[in-house]
Amino acid sequence: MQLANRLNDIAESITLAVTAKANALKKAGVDVVSFGAGEPDFDTPDFIKEAAIKALKGGMTKYAPTPGTPEARKAIADKLKRENNLTYTPEQVIVSVGGKHALYVAFMATLNAGDEVIIPSPYWVSYPEMVKLAGGVPVIVNGDPKNNFRITPQQLAAAITPKTRMVIINSPSNPGGHTYSPEELAALAKVIAPHKDIWVCSDEIYEKLLFNGQKTASWAALDWETWKDRTITCNCLSKTFAMTGWRIGYTAGPKSLIDAMNKLQSQMTSNITSFCMPAIVEAYTNPLSAGEIEKMRSEFEKRGEHIWKRLNAIPGITCVKPTGAFYVFPSIAGHLNKPLGAKKTICTEAVAFSTAVLEEAHVALVPGNDFGFPDHVRLSFATSMANIDKGIDRLERFLKGA
Ligand code: PMP
Ligand code: GLU
């Protein structure tokens, strides 16, 4: 039977595939150390769970407004004002089924066939695929590892053409673990500002996970008057509140964009799970949230420092120090095209390398190919220190040929 042509050029999400493979091996009894999952290893704080349980038990089991309940939209608008200095009204907010869905609906609502979207690389695997599904053309701009993977204003300027309709900014970033400071973002903004028909999609989902005093900014807050009508601000509760399974994301932007997204979403998914809406309100209004977030952030900071040091101590591996999120993205170039492990496997790129490491050393890494860097691998350090040491010990032994 026929399957749609639109899928011909689309890859399955490698991050989810690696996580699924590692979990299947674990279930089969193999002692796998997984650096795959891009999700906090903490549980959702109890007070947030309680809000959903209470709503569920109270009968909040029916359809809700497509863009979210007024209370949830208001809690998000208030959060954006309080924490991000963004002056959106609740009507300028739409809640979607996770950050991924928020971004997808936003792309579907803004892009036409052939529109170019500038994506700094390394990039989160789903950006190019979602852009293509929306008819757009990804234009990849490579960040230099020597510049902590950050693209420069000159590179950005050179990538803009009359067909450019969007630039995606993700700070802190998956998979590079890098962050743009407010000044660096402002320098990029200066390049885009004169091009008045270019949207900036600012994916701010790792905003709370910043290390060692690193700062960043919400794009639209760089200069509200310039950017309020041209910025798509995306966020979710997944990483900040350890709520990946809940599937709660949202977008804020000009009313015309939010209305367009609402129209699309009303024919697509309708509202998110209704009894999760009070959990949004709880997460953004309970004073306990700040402490919960800091607990996770400080733990990720320690782990990031530790895994970065350990990786850099392995001959043939070089790793940029993470300044945010919970990923490191080392180069494995020094280990390609030479015999590896006890089986003396020769790998020419990261997919083969990751496969060999999983099969022989039982360590799950995500190959960098679908992040735009086929000689890098991604390790999520959203796992315990003990697991980090166990996994890196195994990797070290494998690379020594043992
Ligand atoms: N953006 C980035 C940069 C991500 O890493 C992810 C991964 N989860 C998402 C968006 C999507 O988030 P969610 O899990 O809420 O769909
Ligand atoms: N964003 C996370 C990751 O990169 C979760 C998986 C996904 O949605 O890609 O691992």
Side-chain angles (χ1 to χ4, degrees):
M1 289 303 290
Q2 172 178 302
L3 294 173
N5 293 339
R6 74 172 65 85
L7 289 167
N8 292 350
D9 190 24
I10 305 294
E12 190 188 337
S13 167
I14 186 76
T15 48
L16 296 180
V18 167
T19 308
K21 198 168 169 185
N23 286 343
L25 280 171
K26 277 187 202 164
K27 215 164 172 190
V30 183
D31 174 27
V32 175
V33 178
S34 180
F35 293 115
E39 61 181 346
D41 53 328
F42 299 93
D43 196 3
T44 306
D46 268 341
F47 58 89
I48 300 179
K49 287 185 189 171
E50 290 303 333
I53 293 167
K54 192 166 155 225
L56 179 58
K57 289 202 166 155
M60 198 172 176
T61 54
K62 304 287 191 267
Y63 293 128
T66 295
T69 58
E71 294 79 12
R73 295 170 89 189
K74 179 173 184 316
I76 292 167
D78 289 349
K79 174 263 186 243
L80 292 173
K81 176 76 202 134
R82 190 176 62 240
E83 298 180 3
N84 306 83
N85 200 22
L86 300 169
T87 325
Y88 295 112
T89 64
E91 293 69 39
Q92 290 180 283
V93 171
I94 180 168
V95 183
S96 302
V97 190
K100 192 181 265 178
H101 183 229
L103 290 161
Y104 187 55
V105 177
F107 295 165
M108 291 295 280
T110 50
L111 298 176
N112 284 321
D115 286 347
E116 292 180 0
V117 177
I118 295 178
I119 305 179
S121 172
Y123 46 79
W124 178 46
V125 287
S126 295
Y127 293 147
E129 307 311 272
M130 293 198 290
V131 164
K132 285 188 272 179
L133 283 166
V137 180
V139 173
I140 306 301
V141 177
N142 275 321
D144 188 339
K146 291 196 201 80
N147 191 36
N148 283 11
F149 297 118
R150 291 166 301 191
I151 63 162
T152 62
Q154 294 74 13
Q155 285 181 292
L156 179 59
I160 293 176
T161 77
K163 289 188 179 166
T164 308
R165 287 293 167 275
M166 188 186 286
V167 177
I168 300 179
I169 300 290
N170 177 215
S171 172
S173 184
N174 175 9
H178 57 289
T179 309
Y180 292 85
S181 69
E183 295 73 26
E184 287 157 352
L185 290 176
L188 298 178
K190 208 166 153 192
V191 173
I192 309 170
H195 303 273
K196 299 217 183 311
D197 46 8
I198 298 183
W199 287 101
V200 171
C201 177
S202 181
D203 179 344
E204 303 181 0
I205 81 166
Y206 295 103
E207 61 165 344
K208 296 290 178 200
L209 304 179
L210 290 164
F211 309 141
N212 304 312
Q214 171 74 46
K215 299 259 183 298
T216 192
S218 276
W219 185 273
L222 293 171
D223 175 359
W224 179 247
E225 278 314 306
T226 302
W227 294 108
K228 67 179 189 313
D229 294 327
R230 296 172 52 187
T231 306
I232 304 169
T233 303
C234 274
N235 208 327
C236 63
L237 275 67
S238 305
K239 319 285 169 167
T240 305
F241 296 100
M243 291 173 72
T244 47
W246 291 63
R247 315 306 303 132
I248 303 172
Y250 58 87
T251 307
K255 177 95 172 24
S256 54
L257 168 75
I258 301 306
D259 288 349
M261 290 178 67
N262 184 36
K263 191 199 274 190
L264 200 56
Q265 200 167 294
S266 76
Q267 299 291 11
M268 199 185 239
T269 49
S270 314
N271 57 278
I272 67 158
T273 304
S274 52
F275 53 82
C276 291
M277 307 270 193
I280 301 175
V281 178
E282 190 66 23
Y284 282 140
T285 56
N286 193 318
L288 293 175
S289 287
E292 292 290 330
I293 296 169
E294 177 53 22
K295 208 163 64 190
M296 290 192 264
R297 190 209 63 79
S298 59
E299 186 59 32
F300 288 139
E301 183 176 79
K302 277 185 237 146
R303 294 175 188 176
E305 176 102 21
H306 183 65
I307 197 168
W308 165 73
K309 278 193 186 140
R310 288 225 47 195
L311 283 165
N312 267 334
I314 301 177
I317 290 204
T318 52
C319 186
V320 171
K321 187 172 182 183
T323 50
F326 38 61
Y327 306 105
V328 272
F329 196 53
S331 165
I332 48 145
H335 290 284
L336 298 179
N337 302 307
K338 50 177 78 152
L340 293 178
K343 291 189 189 153
K344 308 281 174 234
T345 314
I346 295 184
C347 305
T348 58
E349 45 66 55
V351 171
F353 180 88
S354 304
T355 305
V357 172
L358 183 59
E359 283 172 4
E360 260 198 64
H362 298 158
V363 174
L365 312 168
V366 187
N369 308 52
D370 289 358
F371 296 111
F373 275 62
D375 56 0
H376 283 58
V377 292
R378 189 189 80 175
L379 291 84
S380 157
F381 48 86
T383 188
S384 68
M385 280 287 196
N387 260 344
I388 290 174
D389 278 327
K390 185 168 161 185
I392 303 295
D393 287 348
R394 287 183 185 182
L395 183 65
E396 220 164 23
R397 272 200 302 277
F398 171 81
L399 293 175
K400 275 188 194 147

